[in-house]
Structure formats: C-alpha cells, structure tokens
Amino acid sequence: MEHGHDHHPSGIMRWVTTTNHKDIGSLYLWFSLCMFFFAGTLALGIRLELFQPGMQFMQPQTFNQLTTLHGLIMVFGAIMPAFVGFANWQIPLMIGAPDMALPRLNNWSFWLLPVAATLLVTSFFVPGGPIAGGWTLYPPLYMQNGISGDMTIFAVHILGMSSILGSINIIVTIMNMRAPGMTYMKMPLFVWTWFITAYLLIAVMPVLAGAVTMMLTDRHFDTHFFDASGGGDPVMFQHIFWFFGHPEVYIMILPAFGIVSSIIPTFARKPLFGYTSMVYATASIAILSMVVWAHHMYTVGMPVTAQLYFMYATMLIAVPTGVKVFNWLATMWQGAMTFETPMLFSIGFVALFTLGGFTGIVLAMVPVDVQLQDSYYVVAHFHYVLVSGSLFTLFAGAYYWLPKWTGHMYDEKLGKLHFWLSMIGFNLTFFPQHFLGLAGMPRRIPDYALQFADFNRMSSIGAFIFGTTQLIFVYVVIKCIRGGAPAGDKPWEGADTLEWTVPSPAPYHTFETPPVVK
Amino acid sequence: MMSSLIKKIGGGLVMAMISLFAHAEHQINFPAPVTEIGRQVYDLHIITMWIIVGIAVVVYGAMFWSLLKHRKSVGYKPATFSHSTALEIIWTTIPFIILIAMAYPATKSVIAMKDTSNADMTVKVTGYQWKWEYDYQQDGFKFMSVLSTPRDQIEGKEAKGADYLLEVDNPMVVPVNKKVRVLLTANDVIHAWWMPEFGVKQDAIPGFIRDTWFKVEKPGTYRGQCAELCGKDHGFMPIVVVAKEQADYDKWVAEQKAKAAAAADTGKDRSKEELVAAGEKIYAANCAGCHQPHGEGMPPVFPALAGSKIVNGPAAGQIDIVMNGKPGTAMPAFAKQMSDGDVAAVITFTRNSWGNKAGDVVQASEIKASRK
Ligand SMILES: [Cu+2]
C-alpha cells in the first residue's frame, strides 16, 4: 500500500494525458452525456415541427438535417461511447485487473472522439448545412450533400478508428489480465457481452469505413461504385452498409444485456439463472447478427429466395433473444426483490425491450414488413430497442455503479422520479407511432396528412416530457459527485462481483496486487 | 360526453388513450385492403399479433406475478436455484416451433407477391425529385403526377383540405380486376412507391428496373406516399391511384391519347401572354420547390432565378440548362420529363417575371430544334 501516492498532472492536463482507465471511463461518459443532450435537442426540433400538420418552424431540408444528425450522433456519439465508458470503468474492476492492457492506446481511442464530434457539429455552420439524407447515408441522395458530406465521411472514419482501437484494448485486457482463478466461464456477464461485442466491432467497423470511402471516391475521384450510369449499383451500398448496420444494432444492445445481467441478480438476491446459456445466447446472437442484414432491405427488389433466406434467419434471432428474456425472468422468480432505481430501469428494460422484440418478429416477416418498411412502425420498433433497450440500461448501470465511482449514494427519490417520468414520456412518445406506421405514415417526413394529427401530437408531448426528464439525471449525478450518504465498499446487499471488494470511491489505482478468485 | 367524463376522472393518460381507440377515425391497424395480396398481409399481421398477445400474456404474467409476490418487503426468502436444463430446453424449442408455424403462411405470401407473370397490362412508373411519372407504354402516352395541395395550406395561410398532402394533379388510373404489372425505376435518387391499401411497396432505383403487381378489386381512389427518403420534398410526393370499371377506364385512355397527340403538335407559335400564363402553372408544379415561388431560390444550394445571369442572358444558355440539367447539382434534365411546349412556356415565364428583363419569347419549335 506504499504505492498510494500518485504522480499524475493536475488540471486539464490530467485529462488530456491520462492513461488511467477510470479517468478515461469518466471522459467517455461525460462526452456521451453531452452528445446525448445535443442529439436529444435535435429530436425535440423534429417533434416540434411534427406537433401539428403544416410547416411551422423550419424548412423541409432543415427537418431532414435534424433527423439525420439526431440518428448519427445518438448512435455514434451517445450510445456507443457510453458503453465504452462503462467498459473502461468496470472491466478492469470486474476481472481484478489494475488497468486496461494498453493504456496509451486507451487515451488515444478517447481523444479521437471529440475530433469526430467537432466535424459533425460544425457541419451545421458550413454552406448548405449538415447532411440531410438520413443516418443510413444512402447514395445517390448522399451525393447531393455539400462539403458536409465529406466532413461526415471523415467523422465516420475517425469514429470507426476509435471503436476498433477501443475494441482491441478490451479484447487484450480480457484475455490477458484476468485475476488468477477467473476462468472465462467465471467472468461476470458484463465482461462476456463486451468481449463478444468487441469482436463484432472489429468485424464490421472496417466494412463501414470501406463503404464511406467508396462514396468519397465516387464524390471526388470519378469512381462509380454506387452510380448506375457508370456501371455501379446504389443497392450495393445498402448491402455493405447493413452488413455493418445490423451487427451495429447488437453492438448497442449486447453490453446492455451484460449490465442488466449484473443488476437483476443483485436486487433479486439470487444468482443469475442460466449463466452458461446466457453466454451461448450472446454468442449466437452475435453470429446471427452478421447474416441477416438484408432484412432492412425487403423492398429493394431481391430475388424471392434471398427474401426467404433473410426472413428465416431473422426469425431465428428470436430464439436466443427469448432465452435471455426467460433467463432474466427466472432470475427474478422466487428472488427477494427490492426496487432501487437501477432495478427499476432494468425491469423497465426487460418489459419494453420484449415489446421491441415482438415488433421485431412482426417486421421479420417479409409480407408484413413490405407494408411497414420505412413507416413510423419501424421508428417505434427501433426506439423501443434502443431507448428502452440501450439507454435505459445505461441509466440502470449509472445508478448501480455511481456509489462505487463517487463514494456517495445518489438521491433515491429523484432517481425513481427520473425512472417513472422516463417511462411515461417514452411510452407516450413511441407507442402511438406503431399506429401511425400501421395507418400508413412514412418516416422522415416533415409534414403529414390530417388523419395522423392526433397520434403525432401525443408523440410530441411525450417527447418533451421525456426530454426534459433527462435533466433530472444530470442533477442527480452532479449532486451525487458533490456529496451524499457514504456508500461503503458494497452498498448493494446482493452484489458479489469484484468491484464491490474495493473501497468507494474506487481509488485511483486498484488491484495492484491481483485478487484470487476461487 | 365521453371527453367530459374523462376530465372528471382526472384526465389520466391511460383513459385518454382508451377513448382515442374507441374513436373510429383513429386507425390503429392497416387500412382495409382492396387486393388479394393486401388481404394476405392483413391476415398475416393479425395472426402474428394474436400469437404475440399469447406469448405476452405468459411473459408479462410471470413477470408481474414475480414482481408482486417475490419481493423482500413481503418477507419472501430468496431461492438459490440457478439453472434447469429441462426448462431451458423447453423455452428454446417452443419458440422455435411457433416461428416455423409463422414462417409457413409468410412464405406462401412472399412467393405470391413476387409473381409478376401473366399481367393484363404494364405501367412504367418513374420517380423524380419530387414527383412521379406514369408511362402507359402500350397506349403511347405518359404524364407527370405532382402534389396538388396549395402552398398556402402547407404554410398555414389557408384551411387544410380533407386530402391534405395526399392529392395530385394527375392520378394513375387503372381498371379493376385486371392484373397490373408496375415497372419501377427512378431518374435521380431512390424513391419507393407505396400504396397501403394494395399491400404494395417497391423501391424505385435509378439505373435499374424493378417490378411489382396488384389487382384492385374495388373501384375507388387510393392514396399513398413515397416511402424512401429522397431529399427535401420527400414528404410532398404522394401517390394517387384511381381504379375504374373497364368501360370508364377505356374512356380515360382515349382522352389521354387525344391529349398526347395535341401536346406533340408544336407547329403553331403562341403569344407571350399565353406562354407566360401556361408557364406559371408549370413553374409552380416543377420548379418552385427549389427555386421558390418568386424565383428567390435558396442560395447556395438552389440559386435564385430572379436577377439570374443565365435567365437574363441568351435564351440558348437557359434552354441548355433546363433540357440537360446541371451535373453535380440537384438541377435535373427536363428533356425527358417535359414536352417541348411546356419547356418553352416555363422558360418564357421565368424570363419575363420577378424583374427579369430578357423580354423575349421561346417557342416550342426552338425546343424541338434543341433536341437534335
Ligand atoms: Cu421520393
């Protein structure tokens, strides 16, 4: 314990030069919180314009820019970095390692992010404004973007690089730095899900980088990869994009599964049900996710055999996903549950993610999907998976580990208020969108026919409730950092992973002598 | 009465939603299908939803039971079990069997949807930013179909009509009970032709031709929209199909043929007033979306026409841009989209409006000559 004194710079240079996994984890989390509020504000702009029929607040082009940047920044700036932040903080703590295996690379992975974010945010101020063709970047429409088209491509390159470097670090850390006695099948499920996610990232981020690079050369160097008049094919971009894009969905949900699998056993005071099958289900979901991409493209006009194949493969994903839900239920079953904020968000996740899974099965069926493709039903579906899926577990995880990170208990009352208002606001926003899609409202339109007016108004009201509710979270976090009841090493009665064996707040250096896992 | 009752209860959100569902005008399912495929899709969705309701009752039932009974506050002592091979086999295989049961009817529908053979007639549909072209190649005529909702309605200066944003100047017309094959392509970016009542949605991809089909069983007017984001006015390119009895359809075809013959006649010159009056309408339908109603444009993306060097310069320069477009920008080539007379009219209109002082007149014969 003589190593207690730290030699790290103070002030801003501490954060710029840091190689400490906890510092870098915090940087990732603060960065993603900022991006979350930025992209969330864009979403409120969307819902403001959609509050009633007619164009009130903006030009259609501006509306398209808002939907595009909302999607891009939420995916790449908010959700993904937030999970990497959790990985940085928790993986070394959960496997009993002193730090990440490649600390300098870790610093570089993070500091690439603000560069990419700057490119995206400043594209609002260049001639023509930011890109407007949707976060899916489909050509030929993408070619009509101005300079922001190139800025976005570079931003995607940089984000991809950051993700790949981060993933390498996570894999190397998990493979080499586990405490003695911690075999693979003893790793906490959060570590397992990130282990698999990191492989997915390394497999698909280069594919996206390739696709946007081809677009860049199409724009400037006279290639015609995606231009039919030069012998190319715009649909090829969609195939390449979704080969990245579908695993990307699981990149954003697998670590969420890991977080929930840590929290539910803790608050049910009962071991996780079916640990082994959870690991296998995660791996099968990851593998299946790479062979179902064209279910995003049922209306491009594929041969009937291709449509059938992608339909069967997609429906198959329901099996391992179902296994996970049943395992969480069986973990809760006959437990002695208490309902602190992390548990509330986790239960909210299980309930609403299941709903997103149900609509996923509806959408997997080609004939039904042909009707619903590019309608508001799809918007509802993926927000159930990504907001009440990924985002809710990020909140759950934050409340769960805040006592460990800050040494203080958060304000339980405000946490619960945050949960319930989020629950109401979220469902009010997105549940009616199922009906809009069924009735025939296309997505990405700035104005709509009169029969869609009531559900849209409801949705907009819900969005403003949900959006402003998130300020409670910021307040709770800041309050928790500044003070509160001391957390103690293990604030949660049912917790049993290694991070709860170190003091709270977790010291700057932990596990300098590895613990022994029996 | 219903609404005042709810207010009394306290305006609970749940109640508000229930009252909405009770209202017939709030559609919460697919619109009533008017084709065989549409009906299959409708039924498949209903079956799927009932299966889902069944699974949901089990899953949420178990969940809420557990949440109510297995809590520490009621003194429940936690069990210690952590796996059960039998259970895990059951909840892997049962969903698998359910999925196979769902895949069977879905497969049959997919095969039926893709079968475009033995069609009674074919119409080629082309997506443009932001309108549709319907080409009845077998009958030798084609026309553009553009949103007809007035701008004032969109901007809230005028009350919105019943078919707000779902109305066009020239709808597609088809006979009932005939298998219509639709060939789809696009001129600029990807669009998607979506007609909810038919159960049809197919992307229109520039440089490629895709096909789909429908056979409408009930005469009527059906409304849909472009479903693939295609730029600025994606939300403003509706699709309207009018299905008519065969006799009415034949009459319509004869009218269209006569119109096409008249438009092809570029022999006689029109006066400046006639050209400007005709051009104003064409401008509003085809150009105002980008160049704006008064030619002010939206620089730098869409240049202004009022005071523009090209519009005030020699006519040949403007004819070239209108006919051939400007590569690398959103300005399309109108040579294939518009008749000689229409191009002549719209050019004459722009050269004599908003303070533009070219003052000259462009006739259809000059456009015809430029096509060489
Ligand atoms: Cu379109």
Side-chain angles (χ1 to χ4, degrees), chain A residues 300 351 373 447 454 458, chain B residues 20 26 60 114 164 201 210:
Chain A
V300 299
Q373 163 84 4
D447 193 7
D454 290 341
M458 231 193 247
Chain B
L20 274 173
H26 294 102
Y60 291 126
K114 292 298 254 183
Y164 178 70
K201 185 184 287 139
R210 301 286 203 251

Side-chain angles (χ1 to χ4, degrees), chain B residues 128-130 132 189-192 226-230 233-234 237:
Chain B
Y128 291 85
Q129 284 177 315
W130 294 275
W132 294 98
V189 301
I190 301 173
H191 302 266
C226 174
E228 178 67 53
L229 178 57
C230 56
D233 285 344
H234 163 57
M237 53 180 294

Side-chain angles (χ1 to χ4, degrees), chain A residues 332-464:
Chain A
M332 287 157 67
W333 191 257
Q334 297 189 347
M337 282 187 273
T338 51
F339 302 96
E340 289 86 347
T341 311
M343 183 62 164
L344 286 179
F345 271 107
S346 299
I347 294 168
F349 160 85
V350 177
L352 298 181
F353 177 79
T354 302
L355 222 127
F358 286 150
T359 53
I361 294 175
V362 173
L363 289 169
M365 316 243 279
V366 176
V368 183
D369 179 84
V370 165
Q371 268 290 333
L372 296 173
Q373 163 84 4
D374 275 317
S375 78
Y376 256 85
Y377 193 91
V378 174
V379 177
H381 161 72
F382 69 70
H383 281 94
Y384 267 84
V385 177
L386 283 175
V387 179
S388 54
S390 307
L391 184 64
F392 272 27
T393 59
L394 285 166
F395 289 139
Y399 285 110
Y400 185 55
W401 283 305
L402 263 175
K404 179 55 60 190
W405 299 340
T406 65
H408 307 126
M409 295 309 287
Y410 59 87
D411 187 327
E412 191 64 63
K413 254 199 193 129
L414 284 178
K416 284 183 173 157
L417 183 72
H418 175 215
F419 169 75
W420 285 109
L421 285 177
S422 293
M423 225 19 205
I424 293 166
F426 169 79
N427 283 297
L428 190 59
T429 311
F430 292 106
F431 202 77
Q433 294 184 359
H434 292 114
F435 302 132
L436 287 173
L438 287 165
M441 179 171 166
R443 65 191 283 207
R444 294 165 164 170
I445 57 173
D447 193 7
Y448 47 83
L450 300 180
Q451 75 256 33
F452 305 130
D454 290 341
F455 284 134
N456 266 297
R457 191 177 322 120
M458 231 193 247
S459 186
S460 288
I461 293 170
F464 278 87

